[in-house]
Amino acid sequence: RNSFVCTNDIAEAAVVCLTEGPEKHANKYYDITGPAPQNMDEIAADLGAALGKKIEYRPQTLADMEKDFGPTRAAFFEYLCNGFYTRCSPDFYNLTGRKATSYAEYLRTKGAAGETGLEELYQGNMWKKGEDAMKEAVSKQ
C-alpha cells in the first residue's frame, strides 16, 4: 500500500511555506503525502476509471522491473514494495487547511500547467517499457 502525493499538493504546500516565509517555516520538515494508502489494484482501478477502460495490475519481480524500466525506477519500486510510502501525514492539511488530493482526483484535475495528472504521467513518460526515463536525470547529479 502506498500513499501517492499529488504534484499540485506539493506546489501548494511550497507556496504556503514561501509566502509565510522563514519566520514560520525555517528548519522545518514537512512530510507531504496522499490522503490514504492504496494497493496497486486500487491504483489500477483509478487509472482505469480515468482512461475509461479496465486496467489490471500485474506484479513484477524487482529484477524484471530493473530490466524493463532501469535501475532508478527499480529502486523506487523497491521502496513501494517495502511500504516506505504507506504512511499518511497531516502536514499538508496543517499547512493548507484542506485534505490532500486523492490519486483518482489527481488523475482528473488540471494543475498549474493546464494538464491533468493523467496527462502529466503520459508526458513524463515514466513507465515506458524498455526505457529508463530517469537515467538522464540521475546522470546530471
Side-chain angles (χ1 to χ4, degrees), residues 4-15 32-35 92 95-96 98-102 105-106:
F4 293 108
V5 63
C6 174
T7 52
N8 298 328
D9 288 357
I10 296 169
E12 189 175 340
V15 166
I32 307 301
T33 68
F92 180 78
L95 284 168
T96 66
R98 73 168 184 85
K99 183 179 176 183
T101 305
S102 72
E105 292 168 321
Y106 158 72

Side-chain angles (χ1 to χ4, degrees), residues 8 15 40 43 47 56 58 61 70 75 79 87 101 106 125:
N8 298 328
V15 166
M40 295 310 288
I43 294 295
L47 283 167
E56 180 184 345
R58 295 182 189 150
T61 66
Y79 275 120
R87 69 196 184 283
T101 305
Y106 158 72
N125 207 16

Side-chain angles (χ1 to χ4, degrees), residues 3 30-35 87-94 100:
S3 181
Y30 297 110
D31 189 15
I32 307 301
T33 68
R87 69 196 184 283
C88 291
S89 164
D91 289 352
F92 180 78
Y93 179 84
N94 292 337

Side-chain angles (χ1 to χ4, degrees), residues 27-41:
N27 299 314
K28 300 241 176 113
Y29 170 84
Y30 297 110
D31 189 15
I32 307 301
T33 68
Q38 293 179 278
N39 66 37
M40 295 310 288
D41 291 317

Side-chain angles (χ1 to χ4, degrees), residues 9-124:
D9 288 357
I10 296 169
E12 189 175 340
V15 166
V16 169
C17 292
L18 291 169
T19 56
E20 291 181 352
E23 302 78 30
K24 189 167 182 180
H25 300 286
N27 299 314
K28 300 241 176 113
Y29 170 84
Y30 297 110
D31 189 15
I32 307 301
T33 68
Q38 293 179 278
N39 66 37
M40 295 310 288
D41 291 317
E42 293 166 327
I43 294 295
D46 285 346
L47 283 167
L51 290 166
K53 62 183 180 180
K54 182 169 174 46
I55 302 291
E56 180 184 345
Y57 170 65
R58 295 182 189 150
Q60 279 191 293
T61 66
L62 188 56
D64 285 342
M65 183 71 175
E66 185 166 347
K67 184 180 97 190
D68 289 344
F69 299 102
T72 306
R73 297 301 321 169
F76 177 69
F77 177 71
E78 186 174 23
Y79 275 120
L80 295 179
C81 291
N82 291 329
F84 183 78
Y85 294 105
T86 301
R87 69 196 184 283
C88 291
S89 164
D91 289 352
F92 180 78
Y93 179 84
N94 292 337
L95 284 168
T96 66
R98 73 168 184 85
K99 183 179 176 183
T101 305
S102 72
Y103 191 67
E105 292 168 321
Y106 158 72
L107 294 170
R108 295 187 311 262
T109 304
K110 290 190 178 199
E115 57 196 25
T116 65
L118 185 61
E119 293 165 334
E120 185 179 88
L121 290 173
Y122 272 105
Q123 286 186 19

